[in-house]
Amino acid sequence: MAADDSAETGTQQIRDAIRDAIVERRLSPGTKLSESDVGNLFNVSRTLARAALQALSYEGLVSVEKNRGAFVAYPSPEEARQIFAARRLVEPGILREAATRITPTDIRHLKQLLLEEGRLIGERGQTARRAEIKASGDFHLALAVISGNAIMQRFMDELVARSSLVIALYGQSTVSSCGHSEHGDIVTAIENKDLDEACRLMLHHIAHIEADLDLRQRKNLGLKEALKR
Amino acid sequence: MAADDSAETGTQQIRDAIRDAIVERRLSPGTKLSESDVGNLFNVSRTLARAALQALSYEGLVSVEKNRGAFVAYPSPEEARQIFAARRLVEPGILREAATRITPTDIRHLKQLLLEEGRLIGERGQTARRAEIKASGDFHLALAVISGNAIMQRFMDELVARSSLVIALYGQSTVSSCGHSEHGDIVTAIENKDLDEACRLMLHHIAHIEADLDLRQRKNLGLKEALKR
DNA sequence: GACGCCTAGATTGTATACGATTTTTTGCTT
DNA sequence: AAGCAAAAAATCGTATACAATCTAGGCGTC
């Protein structure tokens, strides 16, 4: 079956590379992404660089400002709230759908992810930390995949990626891994066919992540969009 | 506050025009949208036309095939199912959120929409029918706006637009308006602060639309993507 | 010394140009 | 007349070119 011939190889590749960099927080919110720089970096013309940046702006990961250029998105506290509100709204539903379709293979795969996640938490260093961030999101994404709904899957892709930005900006505890065991609990609940409990745990988990945020308005930000560079 | 300076005027305009044409079904699924034609039609270069088509492909309204061009999306039965599954998943949540934030002004606005919708149903002619299709979707969109979550709002934009395509392809009853009174019932339930009832009605309403579809696989479609033109 | 204006450089917005791929047409063969 | 092959036309993919806009630094005036 035709999986994905949507985007022209070049653009897709750049888009994915930049997105990974944003999600893994190698690129900080507010960083300027000039079309020429991106193009040179990937040895393509501005045309493709621009297309990639446009694509990322549709996902909410970069914001392009007319005649000023593209920047890694700098979500406002209000945006952050909406992102997590959206997750609270959709993730229980996705979880329910996934639970009805889940196979033993899927469960094994989920546990594999959990194991990997746990391993990374133990390790030291920037690289491990970044991989851990990605792994944490991958768990939620995996549930969306299992749900079998490509549309919800793409939506979750966007939400998880944007969440990473929000946590980078407003997260307090240096370790975002506090919720790792909660992932395991959710899987257990699914195994026990206790959907209500699984949903409850999921909502609790999301609330837990959100509770670690400090969403108070940044100092005198906003009078000139502050430190946009 | 800065509302929307996201897209360069030209592209945005083209994108909206084509999207409206698709949603109002002036453009049939599968119609080829060549970059040159679009560009000439709007008196801009292929560059902008291409950007607009790319944007629409991110919304799932057009599908671009490498080296072949862009076509008005032709959702498969499976895609159709997923679109409505997504709506069943998110619309109750949006409704609940909207109900807690709704103001008397909002309610008046909703009733205004209902009135307009009813008026169009009475009228004859293609134009009225098209306006009616749009109005029907606008009701669901209005709820998303009231919910105050820009992210869910954009998601609903996409879902409603894609639903229009699905109905164009698989809808059986010539009138899609069968569900008009159901909109009114939902508003009434909201006014009565009966959220559970409102959600029940919403799910019923979505199921009602879906029931009017004939999602059996089209004849021998798929061996060559069939009538792509 | 501070403020404002003005010019120079850099960056984005849009159009055009050229090579690559696909589709259609043409014309030959069977 | 039907089928196939090669050439012609159309269309897409990408790069480059030029115009418009923004940013920064310098100069002059107050």
Side-chain angles (χ1 to χ4, degrees), chain B residues 116-187:
Chain B
E116 176 72 3
E117 201 181 342
R119 190 180 65 73
L120 287 164
I121 290 175
E123 282 192 22
R124 292 259 171 220
Q126 282 274 308
T127 318
R129 184 58 28 86
R130 280 166 183 158
E132 176 199 335
I133 292 169
K134 194 178 182 71
S136 167
D138 282 349
F139 174 78
H140 294 260
L141 257 29
L143 285 177
V145 172
I146 294 171
S147 83
N149 190 320
I151 294 162
M152 295 310 303
Q153 187 183 328
R154 201 165 54 75
F155 191 42
M156 276 303 297
D157 266 338
E158 179 180 325
L159 287 178
V160 167
R162 294 179 77 169
S163 294
S164 179
L165 268 177
V166 168
I167 295 170
L169 268 175
Y170 302 108
Q172 296 188 286
S173 71
T174 47
V175 274
S176 64
S177 54
C178 32
H180 169 57
S181 66
E182 296 175 354
H183 286 175
D185 295 343
I186 291 170
V187 173

Side-chain angles (χ1 to χ4, degrees), chain A residues 34-35 46 50 67:
Chain A
S34 105
E35 297 177 355
R46 263 184 58 214
R50 186 184 177 85
N67 281 321

Side-chain angles (χ1 to χ4, degrees), chain A residues 112-185:
Chain A
Q112 189 68 31
L113 280 178
L114 255 49
L115 225 61
E116 176 72 3
E117 201 181 342
R119 190 180 66 74
L120 287 164
I121 290 175
E123 282 192 23
R124 293 260 170 217
Q126 283 274 310
T127 319
R129 184 59 26 89
R130 280 167 183 157
E132 176 199 336
I133 292 169
K134 195 179 183 69
S136 167
D138 282 348
F139 174 78
H140 294 260
L141 256 30
L143 285 176
V145 171
I146 294 171
S147 82
N149 189 319
I151 294 161
M152 294 310 302
Q153 188 183 330
R154 202 166 53 74
F155 190 43
M156 276 303 297
D157 266 337
E158 179 180 326
L159 287 178
V160 167
R162 294 178 79 170
S163 294
S164 180
L165 267 177
V166 168
I167 295 171
L169 269 174
Y170 303 108
Q172 297 188 284
S173 70
T174 47
V175 274
S176 64
S177 54
C178 32
H180 169 58
S181 67
E182 296 175 355
H183 286 175
D185 295 343

Side-chain angles (χ1 to χ4, degrees), chain A residues 26-45:
Chain A
R26 298 194 303 272
L27 281 170
S28 304
T31 304
K32 164 132 198 183
L33 302 170
S34 105
E35 297 177 355
S36 319
D37 290 353
V38 172
N40 292 337
L41 215 50
F42 289 90
N43 288 101
V44 296
S45 76

Side-chain angles (χ1 to χ4, degrees), chain B residues 8-11 43-48 67-68 229:
Chain B
E8 320 78 88
T9 49
T11 303
N43 288 100
V44 297
S45 76
R46 261 183 62 214
T47 306
L48 296 191
N67 280 320
R68 282 190 29 92
R229 70 179 52 195

